[in-house]
Amino acid sequence: MFLADIPLNIDWQQILLHLLNFVILVGGLYFLLYGPVKKFMEKRKAHYDELENKAKTNLDNAKIKEEEVTEKLNNLANEIANKRALADKELAAYREEQKELALKEADDILKKATINANREKDKILDSANKEIKNLVTEATRKVASSNTSEIFDQFLEAAKDSEDDENN
């Protein structure tokens, strides 16, 4: 009767049974679904955290390597600049040496040419002197063997002819 006095025909026994069924259902679902899903999600989160840590480590290593490579490139650029400067100095020294050798060779050639020119001059002078001696000797012979008055007359006529040619 007590139950009959309840308004709206609510059966408390049915409600309690439904509640018990609901608690069993929630408990069963918790143990069967929520626990394994939660463990799976934790494993997945741990896996992605591990991947993120590896990526950060790789990124840090890459930055360190990039700095090392940049430093090596800078050192290499400095070394190249130093070697280029050394090569330029060596090239300048070689050019100067070749220039000095060329000037020395030019001086030697000039000296040899001067000596050869002087020899040629001496040969020409000797030849001219011999020719003059021969002409003088021949003229003296002619003078001694011939009449001197005829020679002087020929000489005077030649002089007048050459004088007339110069005046005209």
Side-chain angles (χ1 to χ4, degrees):
M1 317 262 170
F2 173 72
L3 291 176
D5 291 336
I6 297 179
L8 301 173
N9 283 330
I10 297 176
D11 188 8
W12 289 106
Q13 189 178 17
Q14 285 292 326
I15 291 176
L16 288 175
L17 284 174
H18 284 299
L19 259 170
L20 180 65
N21 280 339
F22 182 74
V23 169
I24 291 172
L25 178 68
V26 168
L29 288 176
Y30 178 82
F31 286 114
L32 291 176
L33 292 177
Y34 182 73
V37 169
K38 188 175 179 181
K39 286 181 187 177
F40 173 76
M41 294 300 286
E42 286 175 1
K43 285 182 185 179
R44 185 173 179 182
K45 184 180 182 209
H47 175 70
Y48 283 116
D49 287 341
E50 182 182 338
L51 288 178
E52 184 179 353
N53 289 337
K54 283 183 182 179
K56 285 182 182 178
T57 304
N58 289 340
L59 183 62
D60 292 339
N61 290 340
K63 286 181 180 179
I64 291 171
K65 286 183 181 182
E66 180 184 13
E67 291 173 0
E68 290 174 359
V69 168
T70 304
E71 183 179 339
K72 286 180 182 180
L73 285 174
N74 290 337
N75 291 340
L76 185 61
N78 291 337
E79 186 177 337
I80 288 171
N82 291 339
K83 286 187 179 186
R84 181 175 287 146
L86 180 63
D88 288 343
K89 286 180 185 178
E90 289 176 0
L91 181 61
Y94 180 74
R95 285 180 181 166
E96 190 64 32
E97 181 182 327
Q98 291 299 315
K99 184 179 176 182
E100 289 174 9
L101 288 174
L103 288 174
K104 184 179 178 183
E105 188 176 335
D107 286 341
D108 290 344
I109 290 171
L110 186 61
K111 286 178 185 177
K112 287 178 184 178
T114 303
I115 291 171
N116 288 339
N118 286 335
R119 284 185 193 155
E120 278 296 313
K121 182 179 113 180
D122 290 342
K123 284 180 185 179
I124 291 170
L125 287 176
D126 286 343
S127 173
N129 284 336
K130 286 180 184 178
E131 206 173 307
I132 290 172
K133 284 179 187 178
N134 288 338
L135 289 174
V136 169
T137 306
E138 189 179 318
T140 307
R141 215 179 285 144
K142 283 184 180 180
V143 168
S145 66
S146 68
N147 192 354
T148 56
S149 63
E150 284 179 22
I151 294 175
F152 287 124
D153 290 338
Q154 287 175 359
F155 175 74
L156 289 174
E157 285 179 25
K160 280 183 186 179
D161 290 339
S162 64
E163 191 176 289
D164 288 339
D165 289 338
E166 287 180 8
N167 288 334
N168 291 329

